[in-house]
Structure formats: structure tokens, C-alpha cells
Amino acid sequence: MTPLSADSRSGQLAARLPESLGTLEGPADGVVSLPLHLAWSGLRAFDLGQPRQRMGLYRILLNDGQHDDLPRFLNGGLLVELWPVLRTLVGPSIRTAWESAFPELATAARPAAA
């Protein structure tokens, strides 16, 4: 099996991205239960009121979520809020794909001027 080239990986990531952050209408609170194709091992239900569980859920979705999973489970406002830390928990190809497609994420990641 040959490894994916950077270009094909970038193309796969781009195809998974939503049209806009506004289409990410997932819950901002409560408990989210992921289907087996996303959480096949370990925790499947995530309490969004628990910071570590919330971050774990978003990390799984950014890493493994398919195009149809993202609007169902991600919340655009919450993603922007979490992005400064979340971007450090995903790989560079995922971080670059999301920040390139959505400049508001790159802006959220920058520290405020003193």
C-alpha cells in the first residue's frame, strides 16, 4: 500500500469541509452520542459541559468526521471558541485545511494585541 501524497491528503480534507461555519449547526450543550464509525473504541457519549470531553469530541470530528457528520455534530460558534486550543490538538494538515478555508479560525488563533 502506498502512502497518500500531501496533495491527495489535502484534497480529501478539503472535500470533507463544510461550505461555511454557519452550516455547522450541531449542539452547543448537552450530551452528544457519536455513531460507531466515529467512536468505534472507547467513549461514545460526550458531555459538552465538560471541557475535556468537549475538546475530545471536536478532535475526533476534525480528524475522522465525514462531510455529513460535521454539520450534524459540530457547532460553528463553539468551534471558533475552541479553535485556539483545538488547533494544537490536530495535525498540521487538518489545521491548515480548516484555517485556509475559514480565515475566522486563523484570526481566532492569533493572540490579542496587548
Side-chain angles (χ1 to χ4, degrees):
M1 178 185 268
T2 53
L4 290 174
S5 71
D7 288 339
S8 64
R9 174 79 172 139
S10 296
Q12 288 178 340
L13 288 171
R16 289 181 14 209
L17 295 176
E19 291 74 33
S20 73
L21 294 182
T23 63
L24 300 177
E25 298 179 338
D29 57 25
V31 175
V32 175
S33 295
L34 291 179
L36 284 173
H37 75 273
L38 290 171
W40 50 270
S41 174
L43 190 64
R44 287 192 57 213
F46 297 82
D47 182 348
L48 294 175
Q50 299 295 318
R52 291 182 83 139
Q53 289 187 31
R54 183 175 53 233
M55 201 65 72
L57 171 71
Y58 273 60
R59 184 175 181 212
I60 289 169
L61 289 162
L62 292 176
N63 283 319
D64 302 319
Q66 297 304 305
H67 187 269
D68 293 341
D69 296 320
L70 301 179
R72 179 177 172 197
F73 296 110
L74 292 177
N75 178 283
L78 190 52
L79 178 62
V80 172
E81 179 184 322
L82 297 175
W83 191 253
V85 173
L86 188 57
R87 70 185 304 275
T88 67
L89 302 175
V90 297
S93 58
I94 292 171
R95 182 173 47 250
T96 299
W98 280 84
E99 289 182 353
S100 294
F102 307 109
E104 56 266 54
L105 292 178
T107 300
R110 288 191 208 114

